[in-house]
Amino acid sequence: MKLSEALSLRKDLLTRISQLESRIQNNVTVQEGDEPAEKPEELFAELKRCVEQLEHYIYQINVTNMQVIADNGTPLTKLLAKRDALGKHIRLLRTAFDTASAVNNNRYSRSEIKNVATVDVKTLRKQVDELSQKYRLLDMEIQTLNFKYDLIE
């Protein structure tokens, strides 16, 4: 199995667990005299199986990530950490950009206090664009590795 397949299965399990959480919440209490639509015991058993599978995939993915090295000699775990940090940086800058861009739209009349941006919005936008391009390139490199390497059993 390729690393990419395991990542996809992990994602599916996380979705399944989220759905089970909702189904469990909907069936652990009912009005007195009514029956739940699904048996909570069966839902808990299915949840346990999914969580055990998830643990298995997380372990295998982590072991594989620790051993995969990109062509330039960078470990996959380093690339993943860089992508996560870059994504966080982009989200924060994008939020600042959105806030600074909207300062002139918050007044209802000329008598209200005017807010002004304290940063150069164009420069901020350029930073977001440049970091976003770096993120996309890094993500493509990671995806290539995910499809190239087999999951370590």
Side-chain angles (χ1 to χ4, degrees), residues 1 3 59-61 63-68 149-153:
M1 170 185 308
L3 180 54
Y59 173 75
Q60 287 184 305
I61 290 166
V63 167
T64 304
N65 286 347
M66 291 294 293
Q67 296 191 22
V68 170
Y149 287 94
D150 290 325
L151 186 69
I152 296 172
E153 299 290 329

Side-chain angles (χ1 to χ4, degrees), residues 5-106:
E5 292 174 76
L7 291 166
S8 179
L9 291 170
R10 180 186 68 181
K11 182 180 178 188
D12 290 345
L13 279 169
L14 288 169
T15 300
R16 182 83 176 138
I17 289 168
S18 178
Q19 292 168 345
L20 282 167
E21 178 184 14
S22 177
R23 289 168 57 198
I24 288 168
Q25 293 305 316
N26 290 335
N27 287 283
V28 292
T29 61
V30 293
Q31 198 170 37
E32 189 175 356
D34 287 349
E35 293 291 320
E38 297 180 85
K39 294 182 179 176
E41 302 81 23
E42 292 175 6
L43 295 172
F44 285 128
E46 186 176 351
L47 176 65
K48 184 177 187 285
R49 284 190 302 274
C50 287
V51 168
E52 287 170 354
Q53 283 182 308
L54 179 64
E55 178 184 354
H56 176 74
Y57 282 119
I58 288 172
Y59 173 75
Q60 287 184 305
I61 290 166
N62 288 343
V63 167
T64 304
N65 286 347
M66 291 294 293
Q67 296 191 22
V68 170
I69 307 294
D71 292 338
N72 65 4
T74 306
L76 179 55
T77 52
K78 175 78 172 163
L79 297 174
L80 292 168
K82 185 176 181 86
R83 182 184 65 180
D84 289 348
L86 197 53
K88 181 69 168 173
H89 192 182
I90 291 166
R91 283 188 295 281
L92 291 170
L93 288 179
R94 210 173 262 146
T95 300
F97 171 80
D98 291 344
T99 302
S101 296
V103 293
N104 292 330
N105 300 332
N106 292 335

